[in-house]
């Protein structure tokens, strides 16, 4: 997935890039409205984070241009609450908005929600779908939901752990193996790191499924998912 971050403040672009990269998404950046339109036209963009106040072409003008022939998910950023009425009033315009100053985690959550709801850029993802227990895992879309359609919001690392265990049902992976395959680097304390992420993964799955325990612990050995 590739996300375009557009703001004339380069520090904001750089900050959002860090958080988005940490979730496993690619990032493109643009600093004026015309550059946004050029990148949307020539690159494979899955979501746009767009500031209202942009040089050359304003964010609102950019939205109107994009909406002529695209359903690209768009999240607007605004430093002025007064601009929100304009954003809300756009016909077939922005999908969502966040007011500055913002928490980058909130922006990221909004973006993931937009992409999940829209399914934009995921036409071929169903070819890589895995169903195990109460969960449906779509690797290409980086999405997990219950068989009843309840979304399970996972970080890139949590998704990696789940996918590793789900594609190797009944096999027990110890912490070293999980860390090596998911983090793809060495660590002096893989057991503790993996344990924390598995705990978060379990909590999210149990909340979405009404308490089902999908990831099992084999005490003294590691973790597995039973088929």
């Amino acid at each position: 997935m590739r996300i375009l971050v557009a703001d004339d403040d380069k520090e904001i672009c750089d900050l959002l890039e860090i958080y988005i990269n940490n979730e496993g998404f690619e990032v493109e950046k643009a600093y004026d409205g015309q550059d946004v339109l050029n990148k949307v036209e020539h690159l494979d963009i899955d979501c746009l984070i767009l500031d209202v106040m942009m040089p050359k072409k304003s964010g609102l003008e950019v939205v109107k241009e994009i909406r002529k022939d695209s359903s690209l998910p768009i999240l607007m950023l605004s430093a002025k609450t007064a601009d929100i009425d304009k954003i809300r009033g756009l016909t077939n315009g922005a999908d969502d908005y966040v007011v500055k100053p913002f928490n980058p985690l909130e922006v990221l959550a909004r973006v993931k929600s937009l992409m999940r709801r829209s399914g934009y850029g995921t036409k071929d993802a169903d070819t890589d779908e895995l169903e195990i227990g109460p969960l449906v895992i779509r690797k290409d879309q980086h999405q997990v939901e219950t068989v009843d359609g309840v979304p399970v919001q996972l970080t890139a690392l949590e998704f990696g752990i789940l996918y590793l265990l789900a594609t190797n049902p009944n096999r027990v992976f110890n912490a070293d193996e999980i860390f090596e395959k998911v983090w793809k680097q060495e660590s002096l304390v893989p057991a503790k790191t993996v344990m924390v992420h598995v705990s978060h993964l379990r909590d999210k799955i149990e909340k979405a499924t009404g308490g089902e325990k999908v990831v099992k612990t084999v005490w003294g050995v590691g973790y597995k998912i039973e088929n």
Side-chain angles (χ1 to χ4, degrees), residues 26-226:
E26 296 181 38
V27 174
E28 293 286 340
K29 293 183 284 189
Y31 307 114
D32 66 67
Q34 187 58 56
D35 192 25
V36 174
L37 293 175
N38 292 339
K39 284 184 165 65
V40 169
E41 181 179 359
H42 297 105
L43 298 178
D44 185 14
I45 302 297
D46 296 292
C47 187
L48 170 61
I49 301 173
L50 176 65
D51 186 37
V52 171
M53 301 300 293
M54 295 283 284
K56 296 188 179 178
K57 281 185 178 290
S58 74
L60 301 180
E61 291 176 309
V62 170
V63 170
K64 290 180 181 179
E65 287 293 321
I66 291 174
R67 283 293 177 259
K68 289 179 179 178
D69 57 11
S70 174
S71 60
L72 174 70
I74 300 174
L75 173 70
M76 299 294 291
L77 304 177
S78 173
K80 300 178 181 179
T81 55
D83 288 328
I84 299 306
D85 289 334
K86 297 179 183 178
I87 298 171
R88 285 174 173 163
L90 286 175
T91 302
N92 298 321
D95 299 284
D96 202 354
Y97 59 88
V98 174
V99 178
K100 298 178 182 179
F102 53 75
N103 183 330
L105 292 175
E106 179 188 0
V107 173
L108 186 59
R110 298 283 188 96
V111 166
K112 292 167 72 174
S113 176
L114 284 180
M115 291 195 295
R116 184 185 70 249
R117 294 201 311 261
S118 69
Y120 190 87
T122 59
K123 298 180 182 63
D124 299 323
D126 288 341
T127 60
D128 202 3
E129 181 174 295
L130 171 67
E131 183 173 333
I132 187 161
L135 300 177
V136 177
I137 304 170
R138 298 184 180 90
K139 182 183 178 183
D140 289 350
Q141 291 177 257
H142 209 277
Q143 291 182 357
V144 181
E145 63 183 25
T146 70
V147 292
D148 297 323
V150 179
V152 185
Q153 295 286 357
L154 302 179
T155 66
L157 293 174
E158 291 163 358
F159 183 91
I161 294 171
L162 177 63
Y163 192 78
L164 172 66
L165 299 178
T167 51
N168 296 276
N170 303 315
R171 176 182 169 183
V172 179
F173 286 86
N174 63 39
D176 291 307
E177 291 175 309
I178 293 174
F179 197 93
E180 179 182 343
K181 293 180 180 297
V182 176
W183 275 256
K184 301 185 184 302
Q185 62 184 12
E186 296 181 358
S187 172
L188 298 177
V189 287
K192 183 176 181 180
T193 302
V194 171
M195 180 179 68
V196 170
H197 283 80
V198 169
S199 177
H200 292 162
L201 172 62
R202 278 178 171 153
D203 289 344
K204 293 177 180 180
I205 292 174
E206 289 180 17
K207 182 178 180 180
T209 60
E212 292 200 42
K213 300 185 182 299
V214 175
V215 180
K216 312 284 187 180
T217 297
V218 180
W219 294 106
V221 184
Y223 307 95
K224 69 174 181 177
I225 291 179
E226 295 178 347

